[in-house]
Amino acid sequence: MVAVMTRMHTASIPTRRPVRQLLAASVGNAVEWYDWYAYTFLATYIAAEVFPESADDSLVPLLSTFAVFAVGFFMRPLGGLLMGAVADRRGRRAALTVTILLMGGSSLLVGLTPSYDTAGVLAPVLLVLARLLQGLSVGGEFAASTTFLVESAGPGRRGLFSSFQYVSTTAGQLLASGIAALLVAALSDGRLHDWGWRVPFVLGALFSLVGFWIRRGAEETRSAEQRRAPRPGLLEALRRHPRESLLIGGITAGGTIAYYTWTSYLPTYAELNAGLAKSDALLAGTLSLAFFGLLQPLGGLLSDRFGRRPLLLFFGLGFALLCVPLLHLLSDSFVVMLLVSCAGMILLTGFTSISAAVNAEVFPPRVRAAGIGFPYSLTVALFGGTAPYVGTLFKELDHSGLFPWYVAVLCLLSSLVYLRLPETAHKELER
């Protein structure tokens, strides 16, 4: 495993327009994740409109909605593989253009999905289709944008550039959460159920067009040498680099379950298990997301100076020790919810701020995008995408106290991987 991350040779000259590169990656990525997370923040309204109610259990529609959320995640590995191959064969910019257009179309489809009362079973079928397309897009987005960002960085700045992966992701989440909170505050419950929940998805389609326009002016980061080389096969990364693929999974497992628990599921978890009001849960989530976004560049800068491994261990061991007590602290208090959220965000920054750099430093440039995209997205699908469903299912089975332990154990296992990682922060990136 030590050998897989030492394949770092002399780097070529980085992009001449680093600020524009950051903008192209960040704006498009923010739009991608705005569309993706709008679904999570409005899950309870989608459940009521798109799925039939169960006479004996009010949690069944919500479980169905989170099951569709998980289904979308299982398209992400395919998206990471296909769009990663496009990025490795046609260029990073080409893949980024495809992913944002795909996300805009699928977001519009969610917004136009009819209710179950209007269309019957066609309603959940259309919702599943939209989420499958969104999953394909998001899987490809991470593979392409991770590679694009890190390859755009100058010497000693890969961690800083890497942090903008989650700065932009958080901006998209923040926008989705903020719009959801605004709708909940401004509209009656009846109007939210009738049409209000559709507004964010229609807006997402419009935002995607803006992101597409910005990305068209980005500079390709794949080197001229790589462009002249024979194109890699679709499964070449998996076939020739199995250790690297497994390593990506080990690095990601704890990070993804903690990330989706804290940034997506925590408001719903607090509603279900602590009796916190929906509006308070969404507001606390929005404020803590803003705090989280501000922390990312700091984490990236620290990793460029002190290394990747110390930050990863800060995250992994911190969550393994504190996840259970933090989630047990939740109550119907807005202040407690906000403090718990922010505490988790500090720990989480140790992973999110450098995830893109760590992943890019594993694979050679020939198969970097596809090599990152498939194992990362598969791990996220298995552990991150199922987090809301598993948490809600534990509640349904009257064992909600087990969910925090589930998160803590996965973070501990990833910490064992971090302990054995060689330090790559100060090595040149092969391009």
Side-chain angles (χ1 to χ4, degrees):
M1 184 166 61
V2 171
V4 303
M5 296 184 69
T6 59
R7 198 187 301 100
M8 308 263 177
H9 306 302
T10 302
S12 60
I13 298 174
T15 177
R16 297 182 298 273
R17 300 179 296 176
V19 175
R20 185 166 183 174
Q21 295 293 93
L22 281 177
L23 181 64
S26 299
V27 172
N29 195 51
V31 172
E32 288 268 356
W33 289 100
Y34 162 82
D35 289 337
W36 182 258
Y37 281 107
Y39 182 95
T40 307
F41 293 126
L42 295 165
T44 54
Y45 299 102
I46 297 172
E49 292 302 305
V50 177
F51 292 96
E53 291 188 11
S54 171
D56 57 352
D57 196 337
S58 61
L59 283 180
V60 169
L62 185 57
L63 279 170
S64 299
T65 307
F66 283 140
V68 176
F69 182 75
V71 165
F73 271 84
F74 280 94
M75 284 296 287
R76 288 179 62 169
L78 180 60
L81 184 62
L82 293 179
M83 292 298 104
V86 171
D88 289 332
R89 301 179 70 172
R90 299 286 184 180
R92 319 312 190 201
R93 188 177 61 178
L96 290 172
T97 299
V98 173
T99 58
I100 199 164
L101 290 177
L102 189 59
M103 178 58 78
S106 55
S107 179
L108 183 62
L109 182 57
V110 174
L112 298 180
T113 296
S115 67
Y116 186 85
D117 291 341
T118 300
V121 72
L122 179 62
V125 167
L126 288 175
L127 183 64
V128 169
L129 175 62
R131 290 300 289 180
L132 291 176
L133 292 175
Q134 285 185 325
L136 191 72
S137 174
V138 170
E141 171 70 19
F142 185 87
S145 65
T146 292
T147 307
F148 179 84
L149 272 173
V150 176
E151 290 178 349
S152 296
R157 286 291 180 263
R158 291 199 304 272
L160 175 61
F161 271 56
S162 169
S163 71
F164 279 86
Q165 178 80 35
Y166 279 91
V167 169
S168 56
T169 297
T170 303
Q173 287 180 267
L174 190 60
L175 185 60
S177 177
I179 289 177
L182 182 62
L183 288 171
V184 169
L187 298 178
S188 66
D189 195 60
R191 288 181 177 177
L192 276 169
H193 282 283
D194 287 342
W195 55 268
W197 67 269
R198 303 177 185 276
V199 172
F201 300 103
V202 176
L203 288 175
L206 297 176
F207 294 155
S208 295
L209 295 177
V210 176
F212 168 73
W213 177 75
I214 292 174
R215 281 185 167 177
R216 289 185 64 189
E219 180 181 339
E220 179 57 52
T221 62
R222 195 171 56 139
S223 68
E225 180 182 353
Q226 291 300 320
R227 278 175 263 181
R228 289 192 298 267
R231 294 176 180 175
L234 182 63
L235 300 176
E236 184 172 328
L238 289 172
R239 187 177 68 252
R240 298 186 61 180
H241 303 279
R243 283 188 175 183
E244 290 90 333
S245 298
L246 290 174
L247 183 58
I248 292 289
I251 292 169
T252 305
T256 189
I257 184 68
Y259 177 76
Y260 283 101
T261 296
W262 238 258
T263 65
S264 300
Y265 181 56
L266 195 61
T268 302
Y269 182 89
E271 288 178 51
L272 293 177
N273 295 282
L276 186 65
K278 187 189 306 292
S279 58
D280 285 346
L282 284 172
L283 180 57
T286 301
L287 294 174
S288 63
L289 278 172
F291 175 65
F292 179 64
L294 294 174
L295 289 175
Q296 301 310 298
L298 176 61
L301 286 169
L302 288 173
S303 80
D304 282 332
R305 181 168 184 180
F306 299 109
R308 318 288 190 227
R309 187 165 51 187
L311 268 75
L312 290 172
L313 289 172
F314 169 74
F315 152 72
L317 296 177
F319 249 96
L321 292 172
L322 298 176
C323 177
V324 174
L326 283 174
L327 289 182
H328 282 172
L329 281 174
L330 288 174
S331 67
D332 59 358
S333 167
F334 167 79
V335 174
V336 171
M337 170 67 178
L338 182 60
L339 291 175
V340 168
S341 295
C342 289
M345 297 303 191
I346 293 172
L347 295 173
L348 192 54
T349 297
F351 171 80
T352 54
S353 63
I354 58 173
S355 174
V358 172
N359 288 334
E361 289 162 353
V362 170
F363 281 94
R366 175 179 167 81
V367 293
R368 182 170 287 144
I372 293 170
F374 182 77
Y376 174 87
S377 296
L378 181 61
T379 307
V380 171
L382 290 172
F383 300 108
T386 58
Y389 185 83
V390 170
T392 306
L393 183 61
F394 276 136
K395 174 65 176 178
E396 170 75 1
L397 298 175
D398 201 27
H399 292 295
S400 57
L402 292 179
F403 182 70
W405 288 102
Y406 170 65
V407 177
V409 168
L410 283 176
C411 291
L412 179 61
L413 292 175
S414 282
S415 296
L416 299 178
V417 177
Y418 305 152
L419 281 170
R420 298 192 61 191
L421 281 179
E423 186 55 69
T424 58
H426 305 119
K427 295 180 181 291
E428 296 280 358
L429 183 71
E430 183 186 358
R431 290 167 61 93

